[in-house]
Amino acid sequence: MPAFPFHAASARLRSAPSFRPALAAAVVALALAGCSSSTPSEVYDLTAPIGAARQSPGRSQLVVAEPTALQPLESDRIVVRSADGSVSSVGGVQWSDRLPRLLQNRLVQAFENQGRAVARAGVGVNPDSIVQTDIRFFGVSVNGGAQATVELSVKIVNNASGKITASRVFKGAVPLSDISGKTAALALDQAASRVFADVVRWAR
């Protein structure tokens, strides 16, 4: 299978406040025709909110663990949850990585963009605190009207004692006019960026 270049482009508002969500997801068409007989998928990325990175001396070090999730949210698919609780996925589109790993990477970037001393779990860092996240839902919910919904349960765990020092559930939602792949991906990126910004502000 030949390798294909991954070109990402994101639209950001340059004149917005110092810590703002990106309003568009990085979008790229991944050419799979030469490797598979299936229809080529459009691959979407998430964007971390931008901030003024100012590292303060003595600030505690964080490690972001890979989020946990139930099986439907463990993949690279954009999930749709109907009013009756049934779960499906949007055809012809996918995330650029497994959703838990993608969220871990963007959370790390969100902290970095605010000047925090942060790393991913498993890189040999001995942190003061660990950010643990459970993905309650990340996808399109359809109940009366469709909306891109992000719901994360986040805990701060003291690395020395193993005790939870803080916990909170973060939610973000953006209404959808339709459930096409591009519309859903862009709205989920917008909702996720808001949630990432809230998590970083709270963790300070």
Side-chain angles (χ1 to χ4, degrees):
M1 173 177 174
F4 295 95
F6 186 95
H7 299 291
S10 60
R12 304 182 187 277
L13 293 181
R14 301 293 182 184
S15 60
S18 61
F19 196 81
R20 60 193 186 279
L23 297 182
V27 183
V28 66
L30 183 66
L32 297 177
C35 308
S36 171
S37 59
S38 61
T39 303
S41 294
E42 284 190 333
V43 180
Y44 289 82
D45 201 353
L46 296 174
T47 48
I50 300 172
R54 300 190 185 106
Q55 180 65 50
S56 300
R59 186 171 290 183
S60 62
Q61 294 188 345
L62 297 174
V63 154
V64 176
E66 182 174 307
T68 58
L70 295 177
Q71 194 278 329
L73 299 171
E74 277 278 356
S75 71
D76 59 2
R77 299 299 176 182
I78 296 180
V79 171
V80 179
R81 182 175 60 194
S82 300
D84 62 2
S86 61
V87 177
S88 58
S89 61
V90 181
V93 293
Q94 65 185 72
W95 296 119
S96 60
D97 204 338
R98 288 175 44 252
L99 182 60
R101 188 158 53 193
L102 180 58
L103 288 183
Q104 180 189 30
N105 289 337
R106 297 301 170 258
L107 271 173
V108 168
Q109 289 178 353
F111 279 109
E112 289 174 339
N113 290 346
Q114 281 294 295
R116 295 300 302 268
V118 62
R120 295 166 186 79
V123 297
V125 175
N126 185 26
D128 300 294
S129 300
I130 302 170
V131 180
Q132 296 184 346
T133 304
D134 179 62
I135 307 172
R136 291 190 171 190
F137 189 68
F138 194 104
V140 176
S141 56
V142 182
N143 188 4
Q147 61 180 6
T149 304
V150 175
E151 185 173 350
L152 306 179
S153 174
V154 183
K155 297 177 177 63
I156 306 295
V157 179
N158 182 283
N159 190 41
S161 66
K163 293 183 178 180
I164 297 172
T165 59
S167 64
R168 180 176 163 183
V169 174
F170 295 86
K171 298 180 181 179
V174 175
L176 293 175
S177 57
D178 62 80
I179 313 179
S180 67
K182 181 177 181 179
T183 301
L186 293 176
L188 281 167
D189 178 62
Q190 186 177 354
S193 291
R194 294 175 183 173
V195 170
F196 295 156
D198 289 343
V199 170
V200 172
R201 280 192 293 264
W202 168 75
R204 293 167 62 183

